[in-house]
Amino acid sequence: MREDVENLDIRDVTANWVNAEVLAHQIDERIKALADLAHTPLFFGRLDYLHSPGADQAEGAEGERFYIGRRHVHDADGDPMVIDWRAPVSQPFYRASKNDPMDISLRRRFGYTGGDLTAYEDEHLSDPTEAAATSKLLQQEIERPRVGPMRDIVATIQPEQDEIVRSDLSGTLCVQGGPGTGKTAVGLHRVAYLLYAHRERLARTGTLVIGPNRSFLHYIEQVLPALGELEVKQATVDDLVAHVEVRGTDDADAAVVKGDARMAEILRRALRSHVSLPTEPVVVVRGSRRWRVPAYELEAIVRELLDRDIRYGAARDALPQRIAHAVLVQMERSGEAPDDRVQDAVARNAAVKAAVKAIWPPVDPAKLVLRLLADADFLAEHADGLLTEEEQKKILWARPARAVKSAKWSAADAVLIDEATDLVQRTHSLGHVVLDEAQDLSPMQYRAVGRRCTTGSATVLGDLAQGTTPWATRSWGEALTHLGKPEAAVEELTAGFRVPTDVIAYASRLLPHIAPGLAPVASVRENPGVFEVRATTADSEVVAACEELLRNEGSTGLIAADARVPALAEALTAAGIGYLGPGEETTHDTRLTLVPASLAKGLEYDYVVLDEPQAVVDAEPDERTGLRRLYVSLTRAVSGLIVTHKSPLPPQLS
């Protein structure tokens, strides 16, 4: 298939060089999408239908056989050999069961080792004499060691996951899932499915995956290309709101206030305060005639624009046309017959321009936020009834900056500027946005993401128990309201495919303290995994635990409080053990990653050494946030966890 595309001759099919460039680019993208992937088989399953799909079963139509794979594959004559996993005919591979065979007589799973077909497993779903059994190949695939970036899960998607993946594009969906339930993979595969089912629409409107940090995005970046989807953009929330350079930081109290949804109304008030009602008429001179628009008529125009509550910039653009229209009405009354060109000319008249500048002046969003954070009186005027005096003091700069470029903006300030920018000029909306690790966003960050999908839909992924910011989400209903999608459906994934039973049971001891209403994840893994809590006296014992786990196949992560990372790095180097930073791709030679606890979210390793749980808790501004950070760190392991500690363990783990 790739060679066919490479051999296409487009010299005689393009009308001009522009068309030729566009077509050449499309061909290049198609060739990339058809690239071979090492150790990735083209098919992983087979379905034998009792009857041809779509045929009248009463007529006894003969069944068909389909091979299911990551991509559609056809032969030299164009006949399909492998059916895309997203096609409707492939759905029974994920949904069919002994209770509901979905007209399937046989489902076959193929097992691979290093790209070679080494096993297969059959289920005769329509045979009443065959008992239902757990798939060994499915279990082996789930528990296969992880080296390198995140991989797709098309061969192991479970029925409850498949329902979410194939949900309709029109609705926003929120997925609550504990550690190891596959919510990130489900979100990415949902994007792949939507691009398959609604390709033309999403090609026009665009798709975006939003992750918590660059390390996380690097970890997941190969999943969609492996499924042939190359056009999906990836970003963090900070990337979306990068209107200014972030060089400063806020303390937790200031960040909480700046991230509160009340700031949106304060910004709206501050922006509208720049509009002043006219007190003088506008006089337009054209030739020998003078046309006068009285102040009361101008005031009526301004009030009407304010009442419509449209974007500040759109209203400012409309004002000169409204004034010009009032002049044209007078012209028509005097017997003239002006047209649109005359109205445009009047709108560009110097007197009209001067009036618009005085009534509705241009506002720079960054300067607006600068003034709010630097001018106590200006903030007090517009925060009246919204923020207390104490809250206002928390967000005011101790040393006000004089200019936008010299200001030490924080990440929360950048979100405020994005809100102000949208109040001036509407933000471009995409067709679909996937928001992962959503529980850590502030209300203002939710609004920033929501602006990117006002005319589209979203898939929101997260776990309330893993919220590790002081402003972490308290409920999905509240979060979805800030996102602008209050009607979104909320689905919960409770089956854990990644974390071993003993590990998730230990971590779940924290749930009553961090998310009392949340059900613990039930691990479905047959392999109990490695789990041990060790008291240590020196960093060399932590290194020894890493060496012990590195004897196993797969990746190992050493997770520690951020302040402990330099000391552990020194100990690893002294022991001659090579290691990587989070986001760097593991190889078979270097399989240990040293991970600050603040960056552990969303990552996974076959084996984990967690150093000093109490230090992880103490590094956060409050105990609840610290315990949530610890819960995240405890649940990064796929096959085994060793907890090492010199200090006593947090009492919540006892």
Side-chain angles (χ1 to χ4, degrees), residues 451-518:
R451 286 192 281 279
R452 271 76 186 178
C453 56
T454 49
T455 58
S457 56
T459 301
V460 180
L461 311 164
D463 179 12
L464 295 177
Q466 294 186 60
T468 50
T469 54
W471 51 84
T473 302
R474 288 174 291 188
S475 74
W476 288 123
E478 181 182 314
L480 292 166
T481 299
H482 293 312
L483 191 72
K485 308 288 184 183
E487 75 293 341
V490 179
E491 300 285 349
E492 187 169 5
L493 295 173
T494 56
F497 301 98
R498 174 169 57 77
V499 187
T501 301
D502 289 350
V503 174
I504 196 65
Y506 185 69
S508 294
R509 295 179 183 183
L510 299 174
L511 283 179
H513 308 281
I514 59 177
L518 221 54

Side-chain angles (χ1 to χ4, degrees), residues 136-299:
K136 297 295 182 184
L137 286 180
L138 189 64
Q139 201 70 34
Q140 289 170 13
E141 175 63 22
I142 290 172
E143 297 180 6
R144 182 157 58 94
R146 288 153 166 76
V147 175
M150 183 180 181
R151 57 179 183 256
D152 66 72
I153 61 163
V154 288
T156 61
I157 293 173
Q158 299 299 291
E160 64 272 22
Q161 295 174 326
D162 190 62
E163 286 186 26
I164 294 170
V165 167
R166 296 177 193 264
S167 298
D168 190 62
L169 174 64
S170 60
T172 289
L173 190 64
C174 175
V175 181
Q176 158 65 39
T181 54
K183 57 185 177 296
T184 296
V186 165
L188 294 174
H189 287 67
R190 175 159 160 73
V191 172
Y193 172 77
L194 293 176
L195 287 167
Y196 174 88
H198 307 278
R199 190 166 302 281
E200 288 188 10
R201 177 175 170 185
L202 290 177
R204 292 194 310 271
T205 56
T207 51
L208 174 67
V209 174
I210 302 173
N213 52 56
R214 281 276 141 209
S215 297
F216 178 83
L217 292 179
H218 182 70
Y219 178 60
I220 68 169
E221 66 184 359
Q222 294 304 317
V223 174
L224 289 169
L227 301 173
E229 302 300 345
L230 305 174
E231 298 299 319
V232 180
K233 293 183 174 62
Q234 297 183 354
T236 64
V237 173
D238 290 343
D239 294 332
L240 298 183
V241 300
H243 304 285
V244 292
E245 182 184 357
V246 174
R247 297 186 294 131
T249 55
D250 290 313
D251 60 39
D253 289 343
V256 168
V257 178
K258 288 180 180 180
D260 194 288
R262 291 173 293 172
M263 292 301 300
E265 175 59 21
I266 293 170
L267 287 165
R268 194 185 76 87
R269 290 180 183 179
L271 181 62
R272 287 166 67 99
S273 72
H274 289 76
V275 179
S276 55
L277 295 176
T279 56
E280 299 291 332
V282 171
V283 179
V284 177
V285 179
R286 283 184 59 81
S288 60
R289 302 291 301 270
R290 292 164 60 89
W291 307 97
R292 183 174 180 275
V293 181
Y296 71 85
E297 191 171 344
L298 291 173
E299 182 179 335

Side-chain angles (χ1 to χ4, degrees), residues 364-388:
D364 177 82
K367 289 182 179 178
L368 179 70
V369 175
L370 179 75
R371 187 178 175 192
L372 274 174
L373 300 179
D375 186 336
D377 293 337
F378 188 65
L379 176 62
E381 178 185 353
H382 301 298
D384 183 40
L386 292 172
L387 298 182
T388 65

Side-chain angles (χ1 to χ4, degrees), residues 45 84 97 109 143 145 148 204 230 249 261 267 320 340 347 423 432 460 479 522 575 603 615 621:
D84 194 304
S97 65
R109 301 181 192 274
E143 297 180 6
R204 292 194 310 271
L230 305 174
T249 55
L267 287 165
D340 290 345
L423 289 169
H432 193 77
V460 180
L603 304 178

Side-chain angles (χ1 to χ4, degrees), residues 274-454:
H274 289 76
V275 179
S276 55
L277 295 176
T279 56
E280 299 291 332
V282 171
V283 179
V284 177
V285 179
R286 283 184 59 81
S288 60
R289 302 291 301 270
R290 292 164 60 89
W291 307 97
R292 183 174 180 275
V293 181
Y296 71 85
E297 191 171 344
L298 291 173
E299 182 179 335
I301 292 171
V302 172
R303 288 190 183 279
E304 194 238 334
L305 287 172
L306 287 171
D307 290 343
R308 286 180 59 193
D309 205 22
I310 58 178
R311 294 295 191 280
Y312 186 92
R316 188 174 189 277
D317 292 340
L319 182 56
Q321 290 290 337
R322 295 295 181 88
I323 296 173
H325 178 72
V327 172
L328 257 66
V329 169
Q330 294 183 30
M331 289 181 176
E332 289 169 349
R333 286 174 181 165
S334 68
E336 295 189 21
D339 56 17
D340 290 345
R341 289 173 297 177
V342 175
Q343 180 166 330
D344 289 340
V346 173
R348 294 192 300 269
N349 182 274
V352 174
K353 284 184 176 181
V356 169
K357 187 175 181 180
I359 296 168
W360 213 294
V363 176
D364 177 82
K367 289 182 179 178
L368 179 70
V369 175
L370 179 75
R371 187 178 175 192
L372 274 174
L373 300 179
D375 186 336
D377 293 337
F378 188 65
L379 176 62
E381 178 185 353
H382 301 298
D384 183 40
L386 292 172
L387 298 182
T388 65
E389 287 187 18
E390 187 62 31
E391 287 174 320
Q392 292 175 38
K393 288 177 182 176
K394 287 177 181 177
I395 64 173
L396 278 169
W397 285 338
R399 295 181 178 178
R402 294 185 177 181
V404 169
K405 287 188 177 180
S406 63
K408 288 190 175 180
W409 299 105
S410 69
D413 298 336
V415 178
L416 296 179
I417 294 171
D418 189 70
E419 178 84 28
T421 301
D422 183 71
L423 289 169
V424 174
Q425 202 73 41
R426 185 181 297 277
T427 304
H428 173 68
S429 175
L430 298 164
H432 193 77
V433 170
V434 174
L435 175 61
D436 204 355
E437 301 294 351
Q439 71 280 346
D440 272 343
L441 269 60
S442 70
M444 291 300 287
Q445 287 176 314
Y446 276 115
R447 290 175 62 88
V449 174
R451 286 192 281 279
R452 271 76 186 178
C453 56
T454 49

Side-chain angles (χ1 to χ4, degrees), residues 582-598:
E584 294 181 314
E585 192 169 319
T586 54
T587 66
H588 287 283
D589 295 324
T590 307
R591 295 181 289 113
L592 176 67
T593 305
L594 178 56
V595 187
S598 63

